[in-house]
Amino acid sequence: MLIMRKLIMKKLIMKKFSSPLVLFALMLPLAACADTPTPASDPKTGNTFVVYANGVFNWPGDYSYAANINYKDTKGKPETGTYDLSVSLSSPWGAWQPFGPNWNFDLRPYNYLQFDLKPTAANQQWDCFALMVGDKNIVDTSGKQVVIDINKYGPAPQAGVWATYKIPLAAIMTHQGVQLKAMYKFDIHDQTGQPANVFYVNNVKFTAN
């Protein structure tokens, strides 16, 4: 009789808690994946994650400096879509500086950072660099910060003309000889030194090919 009573109590307990337990178990993988961007497949570029295109910004925000950022600009007359991103410098050496999800964007599916730029100034110069969490510089084996000249990865800039620049992640993410697999943030940094300047950005993405 005692054994039978224990079996009945066990069944009642399992019945009471089984549904919440199942729901909790189902929610675990969803919670784990909620903040992890999923790469899309592109026939030309393979795995692709679009950071910004046509007015849609898919990263959490930016820490831009010496610049005003408009994510739904139309004055730049984007080559595709309705909107582009305008970077209006408020003083020399300004930059657009977006930061990744969880301050640690997974780079493993990708090999390149690609974007379109349109300058308004003659002899436009930009550089690009990434940072680790804590605003720590990525440095080469000699301890020098890794900063690349964007113009080396695409055509010479022409005022009023869009052009595409494709930067190998190995060029900006190699820290003391080891390529990092996650990115905190990166800069598209004006190097003209002008007190007022505007340039436009579009189709910013990470690609496999």
Side-chain angles (χ1 to χ4, degrees):
M1 188 71 178
L2 182 60
I3 295 173
M4 183 64 69
R5 192 174 296 173
K6 286 182 177 179
L7 287 172
I8 292 170
M9 290 297 294
K10 184 177 181 181
K11 287 181 180 179
L12 288 172
I13 291 169
M14 289 300 293
K15 185 176 180 181
K16 182 178 180 181
F17 291 103
S18 61
S19 295
L21 285 171
V22 169
L23 286 172
F24 179 72
L26 288 172
M27 288 173 67
L28 277 176
L30 293 175
C33 298
D35 295 324
T36 304
T38 302
S41 181
D42 185 293
K44 294 181 180 179
T45 59
N47 281 340
T48 303
F49 181 87
V50 177
V51 176
Y52 172 86
N54 192 26
V56 179
F57 185 31
N58 294 313
W59 270 14
D62 69 83
Y63 294 131
S64 302
Y65 49 93
N68 296 311
I69 310 299
N70 181 1
Y71 287 95
K72 290 190 179 294
D73 173 79
T74 57
K75 294 180 181 178
K77 298 179 180 179
E79 73 280 44
T80 57
T82 304
Y83 302 107
D84 55 40
L85 183 163
S86 66
V87 182
S88 301
L89 302 187
S90 54
S91 65
W93 322 116
W96 178 53
Q97 188 186 75
F99 61 88
N102 299 316
W103 300 276
N104 200 40
F105 181 70
D106 184 4
L107 295 173
R108 287 174 296 177
Y110 317 108
N111 294 307
Y112 298 93
L113 170 60
Q114 180 175 311
F115 42 75
D116 299 340
L117 298 177
K118 179 180 180 179
T120 61
N123 303 313
Q124 175 69 53
Q125 300 289 320
W126 297 280
D127 65 28
C128 180
F129 58 89
L131 292 167
M132 296 183 286
V133 173
D135 283 333
K136 295 179 180 178
N137 290 336
I138 295 172
V139 299
D140 61 22
T141 52
S142 67
K144 183 179 178 181
Q145 184 181 9
V146 174
V147 180
I148 63 101
D149 179 356
I150 290 175
N151 295 350
K152 291 182 179 179
Y153 296 90
Q158 298 180 55
V161 178
W162 285 101
T164 299
Y165 299 86
K166 190 172 184 177
I167 302 168
L169 290 176
I172 58 171
M173 295 302 299
T174 300
H175 177 64
Q176 295 182 334
V178 177
Q179 187 173 339
L180 303 178
K181 302 301 182 182
M183 177 187 284
Y184 169 35
K185 58 185 177 180
F186 69 89
D187 282 41
I188 297 180
H189 183 212
D190 180 72
Q191 287 293 292
T192 63
Q194 297 184 26
N197 186 12
V198 178
F199 62 88
Y200 302 99
V201 185
N202 208 357
N203 299 321
V204 182
K205 57 188 176 182
F206 292 94
T207 67
N209 305 321

